[in-house]
Amino acid sequence: MSSEETLRRWRLILGRYAAQPLSQAEFSSGDWKLDQALEYLYGREYEGRGLARPSGGGGPGSLDPSQLRAVDWLNRSRKLFPQDVFERMQTQAIDRYQLTDLLNDPAVLRSLDATPGLAKALLGMRGRLSSQMRDAVREVIQKTVDEITRKLKNDFVNALVGRRNRMRRSHIKSAQNFDARATIAANLKHYDVERKQIVIEQPRFNARVKRNLPWDVVLCVDQSGSMMDSVIYSAVIAGIMSSLPAVRVKLVVFDTAVVDLTHMAHDPVEVLLTVQLGGGTDIGRAVAYCESLVGNPQRTVFALISDFMEGAAPGPLLAAVQRMAQSRVTLLGLAALDESANPVYDRQMAQRLADKGMHVAALTPTHFAQWLAEVMN
């Protein structure tokens, strides 16, 4: 990377406070637009620390943040930045800097790109919003849930409803059932010598084995603030599995209290709008309650989704886990259940739970579906 490009990037990172020290950085008109958008949002970080906003600092036609409305900033940033960067900035605008214009106008809120990060931010502050804004929040949460469901549903259906039967052909053209080997073998006679390619005239697909799975899946979800990403995915997964045949889902959320949401497990949006974030953590109490839900231990999967940071004495928790393990309940402790699967958890407690018979892991939703399929098979 050239020294000019390095200066340019540092100037964008440091903002207007670096305008004089890095005055030799060469900015194009596009760079000034980026600088304005970044300054409007992240300049608040300096103000929050008591630093005065520097005067001037700009380039041609620069705007002070007071002149740039939040709605204008939102529309401009959507065009200036890559989608993943914009989504991160959008979430931070609400979660960290709480831009008032975005939180007071339902139309603006509905225009935001629905992402798990945005849903997490809105759920964290929904108690401070007007009833009119709460309706808009519900719509954003619904869009987020619909998008996650669209991405995950096939994984769970394919894993839990039936495996591919390579001995039977299917007329249903589905990417998940595509049989590459059989397709190549059937179409070798259509090889195009000039293009050096096989022309696929007859793609082949496998049928699936339908099977009944008389299993209960108990999802026990820690609703503390640090677990919010996992709460969102747990709610969606509960909704997906509730629609599958012969899989009975029980959904329990907890902090120091235990709330059984099994009756609304089919509706992830309602679940997410019901959970209360924050508070202490009594994992043992929640696990003991879930133990009482077990009817057929050998056909029950118990998934504890938590950071394992027990706020109560650990004895009841470890005893309940040991009892369920001895009765042959399949136990899984998930330190994270989301797309990143980067957990922060109490490793000592996780090891103690593993010693009592619980499998402990951090999984993406797809890997969780695969794990369930292996257990239930």
Side-chain angles (χ1 to χ4, degrees), residues 142-210:
Q142 181 70 64
K143 287 193 290 185
T144 304
V145 165
D146 290 345
E147 179 62 17
I148 297 175
T149 301
R150 184 188 65 79
K151 292 179 179 178
L152 296 183
K153 188 165 186 177
N154 281 344
D155 292 331
F156 278 85
V157 171
N158 292 337
L160 301 181
V161 173
R163 64 183 184 277
R164 285 198 295 176
N165 181 353
R166 299 186 183 278
M167 303 304 294
R168 292 180 55 203
R169 297 289 168 221
S170 172
H171 296 293
I172 300 174
K173 297 179 180 181
S174 166
Q176 289 81 11
N177 299 342
F178 180 65
D179 190 333
R181 290 185 180 181
T183 297
I184 292 172
N187 291 274
L188 279 175
K189 58 186 176 182
H190 304 304
Y191 183 75
D192 188 319
V193 178
E194 291 183 3
R195 295 165 58 188
K196 296 183 179 180
Q197 292 179 342
I198 296 176
V199 178
I200 305 299
E201 292 189 1
Q202 295 179 331
R204 297 298 179 88
F205 300 89
N206 295 132
R208 287 192 173 268
V209 177
K210 292 185 177 179

Side-chain angles (χ1 to χ4, degrees), residues 27-38 76 80-81:
F27 266 20
S28 66
S29 60
D31 290 333
W32 286 117
K33 291 178 181 178
L34 290 172
D35 186 53
Q36 290 168 15
L38 291 168
R76 183 180 300 184
L80 286 173
F81 297 96

Side-chain angles (χ1 to χ4, degrees), residues 119-267:
K120 177 182 174 182
L122 292 175
L123 288 171
M125 63 178 58
R126 67 183 186 276
R128 304 194 296 273
L129 301 175
S130 65
S131 58
Q132 187 181 25
M133 289 303 295
R134 283 197 293 270
D135 291 339
V137 166
R138 175 183 285 274
E139 291 185 27
V140 174
I141 301 302
Q142 181 70 64
K143 287 193 290 185
T144 304
V145 165
D146 290 345
E147 179 62 17
I148 297 175
T149 301
R150 184 188 65 79
K151 292 179 179 178
L152 296 183
K153 188 165 186 177
N154 281 344
D155 292 331
F156 278 85
V157 171
N158 292 337
L160 301 181
V161 173
R163 64 183 184 277
R164 285 198 295 176
N165 181 353
R166 299 186 183 278
M167 303 304 294
R168 292 180 55 203
R169 297 289 168 221
S170 172
H171 296 293
I172 300 174
K173 297 179 180 181
S174 166
Q176 289 81 11
N177 299 342
F178 180 65
D179 190 333
R181 290 185 180 181
T183 297
I184 292 172
N187 291 274
L188 279 175
K189 58 186 176 182
H190 304 304
Y191 183 75
D192 188 319
V193 178
E194 291 183 3
R195 295 165 58 188
K196 296 183 179 180
Q197 292 179 342
I198 296 176
V199 178
I200 305 299
E201 292 189 1
Q202 295 179 331
R204 297 298 179 88
F205 300 89
N206 295 132
R208 287 192 173 268
V209 177
K210 292 185 177 179
R211 59 191 180 193
N212 293 321
L213 301 174
W215 284 82
D216 290 324
V217 177
V218 181
L219 297 176
C220 184
V221 186
D222 185 341
Q223 63 177 347
S224 59
S226 61
M227 294 298 297
M228 191 57 209
D229 289 322
S230 295
V231 171
I232 292 173
Y233 281 91
S234 298
V236 173
I237 287 170
I240 293 171
M241 289 197 298
S242 294
S243 68
L244 301 180
V247 179
R248 295 184 296 262
V249 179
K250 297 179 173 64
L251 178 62
V252 175
V253 299
F254 69 93
D255 41 35
T256 52
V258 180
V259 182
D260 193 328
L261 299 180
T262 301
H263 62 288
M264 61 175 67
H266 65 283
D267 187 346

Side-chain angles (χ1 to χ4, degrees), residues 5 7 16 108 131 149 192 215 252 268 270 333 345 366:
E5 178 63 12
L7 281 174
R16 291 173 59 177
V108 172
S131 58
T149 301
D192 188 319
W215 284 82
V252 175
E270 199 61 38
Y345 63 102
T366 298

